[in-house]
């Protein structure tokens, strides 16, 4: 009998309907896996150390992680750190499930488990920023700064809406950053309120920030929102909501394999990697093509 490890984060995304029921859905998921012929081992990942040690010593053939983008990021970094070439399945169970949404993974845990045991596996790219991997997004600026200042209880109560409510209040006081963006083909300088480097197509609940992003094309999409007046930013935000904004003069859009981002004044700004605190500037970012194997649902492409 093949073996499978199911890792779940007991505190991931307590505000979401999915996660409220995930503890009750564990038995359903185990039943799906065992019916499909997998001896299933559970790990309650109460800390990074517990998760890291479990992955470092695991000998199971498959790994399934239940949690949000941050939990998935921790799992992927542990897999890469310990050189574990093990297929990964994702059950969305967090406040932010942007990457699972990109994959079109069902939100109901049992149905997600059923999709995983169908065994459709693809090789997917990862981003690497200053020796830290990301599967969905790396960013900095306005929303990255806000996400790290939102009170945990506020986030639990309101989910991703907490970021936007906090952001609206802080935007008038937020200063744009002068940045140098260097790629193998060009170097550009400008002032930005926010930039994102996407492997998937969305972040922060916006599921179509990039219509060109694919996780198996060996490329990353850079989207930079340039400084402007409050009126300009409000107008741009409306365009973002409609999904028609990449040609706007206030947006810098690039597709590259490697990107270096530097603060022109040598300052540091808060960065964000898959919803968690990111590394200090400057950011050396590259795409690692087909770095990991993922279970994908039948709905994906």
């Amino acid at each position: 009998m093949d073996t499978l490890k199911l890792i779940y984060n007991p505190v991931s995304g307590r505000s979401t309907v999915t996660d409220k029921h995930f503890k009750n859905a564990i038995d359903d998921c185990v039943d799906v896996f065992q019916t499909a012929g997998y001896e299933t081992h559970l790990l309650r990942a109460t800390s990074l150390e517990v998760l890291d040690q479990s992955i470092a010593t695991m000998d199971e053939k498959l790994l399934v992680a239940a949690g949000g983008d941050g939990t998935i990021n921790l799992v992927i970094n542990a897999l890469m750190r310990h050189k574990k070439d093990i297929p990964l399945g994702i059950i969305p169970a967090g406040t932010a499930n942007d990457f699972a949404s990109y994959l079109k993974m069902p939100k109901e845990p049992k149905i997600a488990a059923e999709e995983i045991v169908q065994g459709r596996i693809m090789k997917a790219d990862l981003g690497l920023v200053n020796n830290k991997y990301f599967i969905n997004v790396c960013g900095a600026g306005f929303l990255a700064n806000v996400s790290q200042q939102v009170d945990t209880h506020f986030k639990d109560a309101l989910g991703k809406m907490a970021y936007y409510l906090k952001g609206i209040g802080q935007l008038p006081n937020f200063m744009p950053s002068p940045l140098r963006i260097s790629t193998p083909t060009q170097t550009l300088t400008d002032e930005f309120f926010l930039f994102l480097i996407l492997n998937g197509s969305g972040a922060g609940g916006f599921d179509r920030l990039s219509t060109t992003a694919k996780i198996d094309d060996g490329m990353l999409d850079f989207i930079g929102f340039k400084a402007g007046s409050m009126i300009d930013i409000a107008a741009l935000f409306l365009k973002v909501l409609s999904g028609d904004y990449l040609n706007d003069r206030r947006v810098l859009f690039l597709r590259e394999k490697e990107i270096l981002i530097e603060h022109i004044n040598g300052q540091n700004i808060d960065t964000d990697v898959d919803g968690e605190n990111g590394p200090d500037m400057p950011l050396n970012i590259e795409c690692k093509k087909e770095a990991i194997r993922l279970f994908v649902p039948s709905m994906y492409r």
Side-chain angles (χ1 to χ4, degrees):
M1 179 179 285
D2 286 335
T3 53
L4 178 151
K5 175 165 285 188
L6 172 59
I7 292 176
Y8 71 99
N9 182 348
V11 297
S12 177
R14 284 173 287 170
S15 66
T16 65
V17 172
T18 300
D19 191 67
K20 282 181 180 178
H21 297 293
F22 182 71
K23 293 175 186 177
N24 297 327
I26 290 175
D27 188 64
D28 287 338
C29 292
V30 172
D31 179 56
V32 169
F33 297 141
Q34 290 184 343
T35 300
Y38 295 105
E39 178 183 312
T40 304
H41 306 152
L42 292 177
L43 175 69
R44 186 173 182 268
T46 54
S47 70
L48 175 58
E49 291 74 21
V50 168
L51 185 152
D52 188 76
Q53 180 63 23
S54 179
I55 290 179
T57 58
M58 72 177 288
D59 56 10
E60 290 88 353
K61 300 298 183 183
L62 306 174
L63 177 62
V64 177
D69 292 332
T71 299
I72 305 307
N73 179 276
L74 294 177
V75 169
I76 285 170
N77 274 275
L79 285 171
M80 299 301 292
R81 184 162 50 250
H82 298 295
K83 297 180 172 59
K84 297 288 186 177
D85 182 21
I86 300 169
L88 172 65
I90 298 172
I91 296 177
T95 299
N97 302 298
D98 290 312
F99 188 72
S101 296
Y102 167 78
L103 292 180
K104 299 183 173 63
M105 186 61 74
K107 295 180 181 179
E108 179 61 39
K110 182 179 180 181
I111 300 175
E114 290 171 346
E115 289 284 359
I116 290 169
V117 299
Q118 294 301 312
R120 187 183 177 206
I121 297 175
M122 70 173 291
K123 291 183 178 180
D125 303 338
L126 292 176
L128 180 65
V129 52
N130 295 12
N131 298 315
K132 182 172 183 177
Y133 289 92
F134 62 94
I135 194 166
N136 191 56
V137 64
C138 168
F142 163 55
L143 288 181
N145 177 272
V146 168
S147 70
Q148 293 165 24
Q149 295 184 23
V150 174
D151 179 82
T152 300
H153 298 294
F154 190 40
K155 177 181 174 182
D156 288 340
L158 296 178
K160 63 191 178 188
M161 184 56 66
Y163 300 135
Y164 306 138
L165 293 177
K166 181 79 171 181
I168 289 170
Q170 289 195 359
L171 186 54
N173 300 321
F174 192 86
M175 297 297 294
S177 298
L179 302 177
R180 179 182 300 109
I181 315 297
S182 304
T183 76
T185 60
Q186 59 188 311
T187 298
L188 304 163
T189 59
D190 214 319
E191 291 193 337
F192 294 90
F193 270 113
L194 167 70
F195 67 82
L196 303 168
I197 299 94
L198 291 165
N199 187 37
S201 64
F206 296 96
D207 59 2
R208 289 179 61 82
L209 285 173
S210 173
T211 57
T212 62
K214 295 180 180 179
I215 58 170
D216 59 353
D217 61 358
M219 304 290 283
L220 297 170
D221 287 12
F222 174 94
I223 303 174
F225 297 86
K226 299 178 183 180
S229 68
M230 293 301 105
I231 294 176
D232 285 341
I233 293 171
L236 180 56
F237 183 75
L238 292 175
K239 283 190 173 184
V240 172
L241 290 175
S242 70
D244 180 23
Y245 72 97
L246 290 181
N247 292 322
D248 191 284
R249 61 180 175 78
R250 294 157 292 195
V251 175
L252 174 63
F253 177 69
L254 306 170
R255 282 176 54 76
E256 298 282 353
K257 295 179 181 179
E258 299 176 9
I259 304 169
L260 171 64
I261 303 175
E262 303 168 280
H263 196 292
I264 291 175
N265 297 332
Q267 299 176 10
N268 190 43
I269 55 177
D270 290 331
T271 65
D272 181 283
V273 175
D274 287 338
E276 303 296 324
N277 290 344
D280 291 340
M281 301 281 284
L283 302 181
N284 286 282
I285 305 162
E286 60 180 308
C287 182
K288 294 295 186 180
K289 186 170 174 59
E290 297 182 347
I292 194 168
R293 290 185 289 159
L294 292 176
F295 288 97
V296 295
S298 54
M299 291 289 292
Y300 180 72
R301 285 216 283 271

